[in-house]
Amino acid sequence: MPNLIPLKSDKKPLPTADGSLSLYNITYAEGYHAKSVGAFTESHHKYFVSSGISEKIKSKDVRLLDICLGVGCNLAVTFSGLLKIPDRKKLHAVSLELDSELPLIIKNTDGFWPKDGYDMLRKLIYEGPSNNFLLDLYIGDGIKKLDELDMKFDVVYFDPFSKRRTPDFWTVEVFKNLYRLLADDGCVVTYSSGKGVRKDFAEAGFKMHDIAKMTHDFHKGTIFYK
Ligand SMILES: C[S@@+](CC[C@H](N)C(=O)[O-])C[C@H]1O[C@@H](n2cnc3c(N)ncnc32)[C@H](O)[C@@H]1O
């Protein structure tokens, strides 16, 4: 098992189907990623690929809103993918996270994939901007932070724990805030394809389409846009 410090908390290692490491949160009784799919695969397919961020950044600076940081897999996969694009424009990522222990876990765990993406994430959290990437990490209640943010984002990764565990994130009010924060040609991507969730996003003004399944046990996600 890879080095995972600290282990004093309410988290334990969660090895996932594609071999990549995630965590399980005992308090929420939920994994940070789908064990049966794989942390790397889920982040890559549902967030990085579905958002089209690698195409956008070829022609313009991109602002990414990351809800929530978790173990940083969505961001690390994104940095790793974007690092391979020559002449890309700037990325400004804003990440929201309640749990102040997670940046330390990211810093001290050497088993997370992809390595180049995690090295970049650690550098951005602890040293500052690098390689045309800038990361603002807000530790605190992300729902309140959404009210305060006043900028437009090209891409939003919407990845809280489930509606059952964190119902306050999955409300029409929050989705209206996402609509306000989204650029006209931007998109919100999420692992959820729940009927009620889609109905509430529609009530907030969004159109939508499916993120295709990769395998039979891979739940559909959703891309929301204006
Ligand atoms: C599914 S995990 C995010 C996984 C992450 N995107 C990744 O790639 O590793 C959900 C996260 O939401 C965080 N969270 C729960 N309530 C929150 C709140 N009110 N504000 C900000 N983050 C919150 C949890 O601490 C947890 O890290």
Side-chain angles (χ1 to χ4, degrees):
M1 185 57 61
N3 179 27
L4 184 66
I5 311 166
L7 267 182
K8 60 176 172 50
S9 67
D10 59 349
K11 299 157 195 83
K12 57 182 188 181
L14 178 72
T16 67
D18 61 7
S20 61
L21 175 69
S22 184
L23 296 184
Y24 181 83
N25 189 300
I26 295 160
T27 307
Y28 289 94
E30 226 165 76
Y32 288 70
H33 300 91
K35 184 176 164 63
S36 63
V37 173
F40 176 88
T41 305
E42 188 178 26
S43 292
H44 188 260
H45 181 68
K46 284 198 173 166
Y47 294 91
F48 179 67
V49 174
S50 302
S51 67
I53 193 168
S54 57
E55 281 309 308
K56 290 175 194 271
I57 208 162
K58 286 177 188 167
S59 57
K60 62 170 187 177
D61 294 348
V62 167
R63 283 175 168 174
L64 165 65
L65 176 58
D66 178 53
I67 309 168
C68 311
L69 174 74
V71 298
C73 195
N74 291 348
L75 284 185
V77 165
T78 299
F79 297 143
S80 175
L82 298 185
L83 279 169
K84 297 178 181 70
I85 300 174
D87 300 329
R88 73 191 134 73
K89 308 292 184 196
K90 289 183 191 154
L91 176 74
H92 180 184
V94 175
S95 186
L96 313 181
E97 176 54 57
L98 184 64
D99 184 347
S100 61
E101 189 188 26
L102 287 164
L104 292 171
I105 290 179
I106 290 168
K107 184 180 178 191
N108 294 320
T109 303
D110 56 19
F112 290 134
W113 294 0
K115 188 176 176 331
D116 63 342
Y118 269 99
D119 286 345
M120 178 55 67
L121 177 58
R122 291 178 192 111
K123 196 180 267 185
L124 294 172
I125 295 176
Y126 288 102
E127 293 171 29
S130 175
N131 267 47
N132 259 355
F133 296 145
L134 163 68
L135 172 64
D136 290 326
L137 172 58
Y138 291 99
I139 299 295
D141 184 358
I143 299 167
K144 279 198 191 128
K145 190 70 203 174
L146 288 176
D147 284 335
E148 292 164 22
L149 284 174
D150 190 17
M151 54 200 278
K152 294 286 183 190
F153 291 91
D154 305 287
V155 173
V156 178
Y157 290 170
F158 190 70
D159 193 18
F161 284 130
S162 67
K163 186 172 176 179
R164 189 161 151 239
R165 302 292 181 202
T166 52
D168 292 353
F169 259 115
W170 300 89
T171 65
V172 177
E173 287 67 34
V174 167
F175 303 157
K176 282 184 178 162
N177 244 343
L178 299 185
Y179 194 92
R180 177 182 65 83
L181 292 167
L182 195 67
D184 287 344
D185 60 350
C187 65
V188 179
V189 288
T190 182
Y191 65 88
S192 174
S193 58
K195 270 189 190 161
V197 168
R198 287 183 170 193
K199 186 179 116 327
D200 288 347
F201 264 95
E203 193 177 327
F206 287 98
K207 300 176 188 129
M208 67 199 75
H209 56 79
D210 286 348
I211 296 171
K213 286 176 160 204
M214 290 176 75
T215 60
H216 72 281
D217 58 356
F218 192 99
H219 297 291
K220 278 190 302 197
T222 312
I223 304 173
F224 295 102
Y225 55 96
K226 286 188 169 177

